[in-house]
């Protein structure tokens, strides 16, 4: 199964940081899942995460 690298930005109180998470490409609702994984990685809520892009690897 191919993986997708999801680039995201975390924005809290006007301060942003960027990162990425890896997800399986077949997952349903990829954007929602990506926001949840990024939020978990960053220790924040998904409302503070903006997805910047996807890249299949």
């Amino acid at each position: 199964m191919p993986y997708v690298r999801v680039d995201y930005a975390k924005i809290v109180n006007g301060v942003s940081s960027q990162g990425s998470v890896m997800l399986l490409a077949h997952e349903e609702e990829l954007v929602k899942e990506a926001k949840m994984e990024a939020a978990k990685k960053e220790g924040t809520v998904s409302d503070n995460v903006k997805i910047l892009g996807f890249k299949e690897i």
Side-chain angles (χ1 to χ4, degrees):
M1 290 250 156
Y3 280 86
V4 175
R5 185 180 85 191
V6 180
D7 297 319
Y8 65 86
K10 178 182 82 170
I11 305 165
V12 178
N13 296 329
V15 178
S16 68
S17 63
Q18 294 184 353
S20 64
V21 292
M22 303 296 285
L23 298 173
L24 288 174
H26 76 280
E27 292 187 34
E28 300 280 325
E29 301 180 29
L30 192 56
V31 172
K32 182 178 177 184
E33 182 70 22
K35 287 182 81 169
M36 288 173 34
E37 286 297 316
K40 188 185 330 176
K41 180 179 176 182
E42 293 292 330
T44 189
V45 296
S46 60
D47 289 345
N48 292 337
V49 174
K50 178 179 179 172
I51 300 301
L52 302 177
F54 296 93
K55 183 175 187 177
E56 187 173 333
I57 58 169

